[in-house]
Amino acid sequence: MVSPTFIYESAILVALLHFVKGQEGEKHILVKRGAGPSNCYHSCDGLHHGGCHNGFCECDRGWIGQYCSVRDCSSGLYCTNGGTCVENGMDYTCVCKDGWSGTDCEQVDCTWSGHCNNRGTCVQTSTNTDYTCNNCASGWRGNSCHLIDCSSKVYCYNGGTCMGDVNGGTDYRCICEEGWTGRDCQFINCFSPIRCMNKGQCHLQNGGKEFNCTCADGYLGDNCQIDMCSPYKIADIVFIMDVSVSQNETTFVEQKNFVKYFIAQFPLGPDHFQFSLILYASEPHAVFNLSNMYDNYTIIDAVDNATIPDDKRGATFTGKALAFVKDNSFATTNGGRADVDRYVILLTDGMSSASLDTANQAKLLRLSYPNVRIKSIGSGDIVFHTELLEISTYPLNVFPLHGNDSVRSVQKSTMYGCERCTTAYSDVVLAFDVSSFNYGQLDTMLKTAEVLIANLHTDVNQTRVGLSKYESIAEEVFEFDEYTTSNEMISVMNKHIMKSETCMKDKQCSSRDISSLLQDVLREFQKNSEKSRRKAVVIFSQFIFDKDIAGRVVLEIQNLKDNGVSVIVVGEGLEANIDKMLKLSTTSFFTFIIGEDFNTPIDAILALMSTLEYNICFVQ
Ligand SMILES: *[C@@H]1O[C@H](CO)[C@@H](O)[C@H](O)[C@H]1NC(C)=O
Ligand SMILES: *[C@@H]1O[C@H](CO)[C@@H](O)[C@H](O)[C@H]1NC(C)=O
Ligand SMILES: *[C@@H]1O[C@H](CO)[C@@H](O)[C@H](O)[C@H]1NC(C)=O
Ligand SMILES: *[C@@H]1O[C@H](CO)[C@@H](O)[C@H](O)[C@H]1NC(C)=O
Ligand SMILES: *[C@@H]1O[C@H](CO)[C@@H](O)[C@H](O)[C@H]1NC(C)=O
Ligand SMILES: *[C@@H]1O[C@H](CO)[C@@H](O)[C@H](O)[C@H]1NC(C)=O
Ligand SMILES: *[C@@H]1O[C@H](CO)[C@@H](O)[C@H](O)[C@H]1NC(C)=O
């Protein structure tokens, strides 16, 4: 049992030792207990390691005891490098830490791997009392290869930033880039907003190091970053605008509005869509080239400001404009990019001054740039569809200036299968004013209608066709949904609209009052057409009316227009009343004069296809 007094005294001693340790240079330790004055000298000074002072032994550092005859292991004099001193009377032994040896553990033992933390080569100094670490393993630095080397790039993957400020530099942390997580940013962070965007679902794979996405409808890409309904496939687009004398100022303004609306639908820039605007009449004039305009306000301004220099005004040399585009517009020096889609949007009435050259240059342009798509936009007082079809080669690339169908069609082809961007179908009534045609004319009109019907898609939920005729009274031949194949419709049409029923019989070829026919047409739309469907009537007639009848016809046609029906008129040859037709049709593009007189084959009617079966993009 230890007495309380002893504990108290020991405590004082320890406190005293601490006090003395702190004072450098102190040689002797005053030991209170000890021998009396009589034997002091003999006992401490002579034999042992201390001096006599006032009858007490004052021990040298490293010694302790009444007569300073005991090694003081706590003195710190013995056993360096962390070795443990064990007192053994007048002597001591050291229990050295790993990697050290010698009486006082003063010798380095480099065979022990711990000096350099197993991460480098231990090299002894010449005296064998210290070491350095060479060739620290990658990721480590410092005397003992114990400090993190953040510059080594062995920590923090995937762009993460290493911070070597943990535990005095012996550890690190990573600041991960967005989308990554884990001690070394080695794992996918599925909760990050850049993973599986737009409400896509993120799935971890390969132990969290990879992922995949289940995208929400309408999105694709590794991170669902692609909105299928945004223009994603970039393109270089050149507008060619016919400003010849046949195109008046009103048309010019409409053309500019069209181009401005078109441009505004697409993101601009060298990584996005690039536009160029060429005006032409007798010569082409580049208002801006592909590389000129990347700022959406400036480009709109530039379209507004566009004019053609006086020396380039005059007739319509469409071929020269197409040649200019082929030689200059897509050239890399003008900002053309090799690997993108290319569009040429030609706004003209289709009445070029050198039509052979126009067709040739369109061909050459297509040969020079096989991926170019030429869209013809019919604009102006009168539109000559045949040339537009020839330039574009494909009926669905021919559009009226009126409406946005051409813009939607380009949008759709720059998107990745957008489901919100789809083909929509119309309800179409073909209305024959049989009374206005002679035998040959009616034959041409029937063939024209046949080409149109044959090219329409007439399955369920596609284009619906109705047929009405006026001979001496208005008659409905078939309603929407009565037939769903083009062949049936054509055969029923040819059976009911007899070529013998024409005015040839009584030789009086003038239209009678077709207002009852037009009323029937409107009734059919009102009864059977859904609101969302586009409605169009194609009226086959020469539009030669007596004055009083003309008034009623105009009224009924206006009534159709007021009810959202597009009015398309088709006549044959020089006898057709083209002025009336241009006035009655919804837009000049919807007036067709078929026949040899105008060198217009029946196929010209196919220019209607893009209007009847058109692209729509629902905006979310
Ligand atoms: C995505 O990963 C999940 C889980 O590993 C797997 O079931 C699914 O088939 C993967 N989907 C795709 C599109 O790879
Ligand atoms: C556009 O390109 C044509 C042909 O290379 C060049 O003559 C014209 O100066 C360019 N226009 C602009 C505005 O850069
Ligand atoms: C112009 O572009 C910017 C950036 O793309 C867009 O925020 C802005 O709405 C655009 N302005 C017009 C008038 O289109
Ligand atoms: C358009 O014309 C206006 C007025 O003349 C001018 O201030 C502006 O800089 C022009 N913009 C462009 C793009 O040419
Ligand atoms: C210009 O053409 C439009 C049809 O595109 C016509 O309505 C208008 O009257 C014409 N204007 C002039 C001044 O000729
Ligand atoms: C074209 O579309 C825009 C936007 O939807 C609309 O504001 C404009 O009226 C449309 N133009 C025509 C002629 O339908
Ligand atoms: C036609 O459309 C209706 C209404 O959208 C739909 O219920 C029906 O399934 C469609 N029919 C076909 C054959 O696609």
Side-chain angles (χ1 to χ4, degrees):
M1 221 171 130
V2 181
S3 79
T5 320
F6 175 77
I7 292 173
Y8 173 71
E9 288 188 346
S10 301
I12 289 179
L13 182 62
V14 169
L16 203 61
L17 282 169
H18 275 284
F19 170 74
V20 169
K21 261 186 176 169
Q23 303 196 349
E24 287 290 325
E26 192 85 17
K27 188 172 182 260
H28 293 136
I29 296 170
L30 185 67
V31 178
K32 276 196 170 171
R33 290 167 305 171
S38 57
N39 59 4
C40 177
Y41 171 76
H42 173 76
S43 300
C44 16
D45 279 3
L47 213 55
H48 299 118
H49 304 266
C52 193
H53 186 76
N54 287 343
F56 292 96
C57 285
E58 241 180 27
C59 297
D60 291 346
R61 200 161 159 236
W63 295 90
I64 202 169
Q66 194 173 7
Y67 303 108
C68 302
S69 59
V70 178
R71 294 281 181 166
D72 178 9
C73 266
S74 69
S75 65
L77 267 190
Y78 316 116
C79 310
T80 56
N81 296 311
T84 306
C85 174
V86 179
E87 175 252 307
N88 183 16
M90 295 268 298
D91 215 340
Y92 67 95
T93 53
C94 291
V95 180
C96 294
K97 285 210 153 174
D98 289 345
W100 298 95
S101 61
T103 320
D104 274 310
C105 307
E106 77 283 5
Q107 300 275 311
V108 167
D109 176 9
C110 257
T111 61
W112 184 62
S113 60
H115 289 307
C116 298
N117 291 297
N118 235 342
R119 297 169 192 140
T121 314
C122 177
V123 179
Q124 286 156 339
T125 55
S126 55
T127 56
N128 283 356
T129 55
D130 206 353
Y131 65 91
T132 55
C133 291
N134 286 353
N135 305 321
C136 290
S138 141
W140 297 95
R141 57 181 187 86
N143 292 343
S144 304
C145 303
H146 61 302
L147 295 174
I148 294 289
D149 179 11
C150 264
S151 69
S152 65
K153 309 238 184 305
V154 302
Y155 313 108
C156 309
Y157 312 130
N158 299 307
T161 305
C162 173
M163 307 291 285
D165 60 358
V166 180
N167 289 340
T170 60
D171 206 351
Y172 68 97
R173 64 201 164 96
C174 295
I175 300 172
C176 296
E177 285 285 286
E178 187 63 63
W180 298 95
T181 186
R183 174 162 163 81
D184 277 308
C185 310
Q186 72 273 48
F187 297 120
I188 299 289
N189 178 8
C190 256
F191 297 102
S192 158
I194 68 159
R195 301 292 180 208
C196 305
M197 299 186 273
N198 298 306
K199 305 213 169 100
Q201 281 177 355
C202 179
H203 312 280
L204 292 175
Q205 289 173 315
N206 186 16
K209 294 193 172 159
E210 288 170 25
F211 73 107
N212 71 18
C213 293
T214 308
C215 297
D217 283 351
Y219 296 93
L220 34 95
D222 289 347
N223 289 300
C224 307
Q225 76 278 22
I226 300 171
D227 181 350
M228 289 159 83
C229 297
S230 66
Y232 193 78
K233 283 167 80 180
I234 60 174
D236 286 343
I237 301 179
V238 179
F239 295 100
I240 310 178
M241 201 187 278
D242 172 3
V243 294
S244 62
V245 283
S246 63
Q247 302 278 50
N248 73 20
E249 190 59 33
T250 316
T251 305
F252 191 32
V253 171
E254 285 172 357
Q255 288 176 332
K256 283 180 173 181
N257 286 339
F258 168 84
V259 168
K260 287 190 287 182
Y261 176 76
F262 194 118
I263 290 174
Q265 309 311 307
F266 296 90
L268 290 178
D271 299 325
H272 298 286
F273 286 75
Q274 299 186 139
F275 293 96
S276 170
L277 175 61
I278 315 290
L279 305 188
Y280 78 96
S282 66
E283 295 289 336
H285 166 68
V287 180
F288 51 85
N289 294 320
L290 290 175
S291 55
N292 290 145
M293 295 286 170
Y294 295 141
D295 160 44
N296 52 5
Y297 292 102
T298 317
I299 197 168
I300 299 299
D301 232 25
V303 175
D304 269 329
N305 286 3
T307 54
I308 189 161
D310 283 339
D311 62 344
K312 293 177 175 171
R313 290 180 196 275
T316 316
F317 286 93
T318 310
K320 286 189 188 175
L322 290 166
F324 180 90
V325 168
K326 172 185 60 120
D327 295 335
N328 301 291
S329 294
F330 293 120
T332 45
T333 46
N334 278 328
R337 295 166 294 182
D339 47 353
V340 303
D341 285 354
R342 296 189 179 94
Y343 294 89
V344 170
I345 315 286
L346 171 64
L347 298 93
T348 179
D349 55 12
M351 290 183 282
S352 65
S353 305
S355 55
L356 218 63
D357 185 49
T358 300
N360 271 335
Q361 293 300 343
K363 231 175 270 166
L364 289 176
L365 174 60
R366 220 174 278 111
L367 282 174
S368 298
Y369 297 101
N371 72 340
V372 77
R373 269 169 273 191
I374 308 178
K375 309 245 173 192
S376 305
I377 314 294
S379 63
D381 285 357
I382 305 178
V383 174
F384 190 62
H385 306 90
T386 309
E387 187 175 89
L388 301 181
L389 286 161
E390 211 164 54
I391 291 169
S392 289
T393 62
Y394 180 52
L396 288 176
N397 280 335
V398 177
F399 299 88
L401 180 65
H402 162 97
N404 291 322
D405 292 344
S406 58
V407 183
R408 300 286 170 254
S409 109
V410 174
Q411 274 182 315
K412 192 182 177 209
S413 47
T414 63
M415 295 171 186
Y416 284 110
C418 173
E419 283 182 12
R420 280 182 274 133
C421 227
T422 175
T423 304
Y425 299 92
S426 305
D427 287 342
V428 188
V429 176
L430 308 181
F432 274 87
D433 173 13
V434 179
S435 68
S436 74
F437 296 112
N438 68 29
Y439 184 90
Q441 291 165 340
L442 184 62
D443 188 48
T444 302
M445 292 295 95
L446 283 168
K447 283 183 176 144
T448 305
E450 203 172 310
V451 165
L452 183 61
I453 296 172
N455 280 278
L456 290 170
H457 295 85
T458 52
D459 275 350
V460 180
N461 289 356
Q462 294 184 326
T463 304
R464 303 198 298 177
V465 181
L467 181 67
S468 290
K469 66 168 183 176
Y470 181 90
E471 190 194 343
S472 51
I473 50 159
E475 260 181 84
E476 186 166 66
V477 180
F478 55 82
E479 295 187 342
F480 298 140
D481 295 329
E482 213 168 318
Y483 301 103
T484 54
T485 71
S486 299
N487 283 343
E488 283 175 299
M489 293 177 195
I490 290 166
S491 111
V492 173
M493 174 179 76
N494 283 323
K495 202 177 296 169
H496 281 80
I497 300 177
M498 307 289 282
K499 286 156 199 147
S500 60
E501 289 172 13
T502 67
C503 59
M504 273 302 274
K505 275 194 295 190
D506 49 17
K507 305 253 188 281
Q508 273 185 313
C509 287
S510 79
S511 297
R512 313 227 177 82
D513 187 355
I514 60 166
S515 45
S516 54
L517 173 68
L518 299 173
Q519 284 164 3
D520 280 359
V521 170
L522 182 58
R523 221 171 292 128
E524 170 68 0
F525 281 120
Q526 285 172 335
K527 191 171 63 166
N528 290 324
S529 197
E530 286 158 38
K531 214 176 164 196
S532 62
R533 289 187 142 241
R534 186 176 281 186
K535 303 173 211 15
V537 60
V538 185
I539 307 170
F540 295 88
S541 173
Q542 298 293 65
F543 291 90
I544 310 163
F545 305 112
D546 292 343
K547 240 193 172 141
D548 52 329
I549 295 171
R552 264 175 287 178
V553 170
V554 169
L555 222 75
E556 291 305 334
I557 286 189
Q558 190 56 48
N559 204 8
L560 281 164
K561 289 180 184 167
D562 292 346
N563 281 276
V565 180
S566 295
V567 175
I568 296 146
V569 298
V570 186
E572 203 280 343
L574 283 173
E575 274 177 29
N577 185 351
I578 189 161
D579 289 340
K580 191 101 215 154
M581 292 170 74
L582 286 168
K583 282 204 186 87
L584 292 179
S585 61
T586 297
T587 173
S588 60
F589 187 92
F590 290 166
T591 294
F592 290 82
I593 312 283
I594 307 289
E596 280 168 19
D597 295 345
F598 289 88
N599 198 16
T600 306
I602 54 178
D603 287 359
I605 200 71
L606 292 179
L608 273 185
M609 289 298 297
S610 70
T611 296
L612 300 179
E613 298 183 350
Y614 55 103
N615 297 131
I616 46 167
C617 298
F618 303 105
V619 182
Q620 263 193 339

